Amino acid sequence: MMNHLRVARWNDWEQQLRQSGNLDIRERSFVCVDCGKAYVVHRSLWRHRKFECVNAKPKFACEMCPYKSPHKWCIENHKKRHHSNIYN
């Protein structure tokens, strides 16, 4: 709940600065065609599309069960957590 209040306060502050003309914020011009999420930097959109978006396909799979993830570190954590007796 605390983060929600921070966002609300930031939005109010940002709106006041925009109205006064003292705010130079880059618009979010890179938009995901799949989910509509917008980014200021093209690289962030690329990362979102590759790893986070609903259409991101898992590229790594656990050899011991059907678990899959787009991140290698998630697979390593999964193995340590769920297959520690075999993994070590």
Side-chain angles (χ1 to χ4, degrees), residues 9 19 22 31 33 39 44 46-47 59 61 64 66 78 86:
R9 289 182 191 146
Q19 289 172 351
N22 293 331
V31 180
V33 295
Y39 294 90
S44 297
W46 172 84
R47 178 190 38 75
K59 301 202 177 15
M64 296 164 236
H78 164 81
I86 300 169

Side-chain angles (χ1 to χ4, degrees), residues 1 5-6 20 22 26-27 30-31 33 39 41-42 47 53 58 66 70 73 76 79-80 82 88:
M1 183 168 173
L5 293 174
R6 287 183 190 157
S20 69
N22 293 331
R26 295 184 289 174
E27 295 297 322
F30 299 101
V31 180
V33 295
Y39 294 90
V41 180
H42 184 265
R47 178 190 38 75
C53 194
W73 63 267
E76 291 170 359
K79 287 179 183 177
K80 288 176 185 174
H82 297 283
N88 290 334

Side-chain angles (χ1 to χ4, degrees), residues 42-57:
H42 184 265
R43 175 88 176 159
S44 297
L45 173 62
W46 172 84
R47 178 190 38 75
H48 164 78
R49 300 246 354 212
K50 184 171 182 178
F51 296 113
E52 300 169 1
C53 194
V54 290
N55 290 333
K57 295 183 175 55

Side-chain angles (χ1 to χ4, degrees), residues 71-81 87:
H71 304 284
K72 186 176 179 179
W73 63 267
C74 286
I75 296 293
E76 291 170 359
N77 287 347
H78 164 81
K79 287 179 183 177
K80 288 176 185 174
R81 195 173 302 122
Y87 187 66

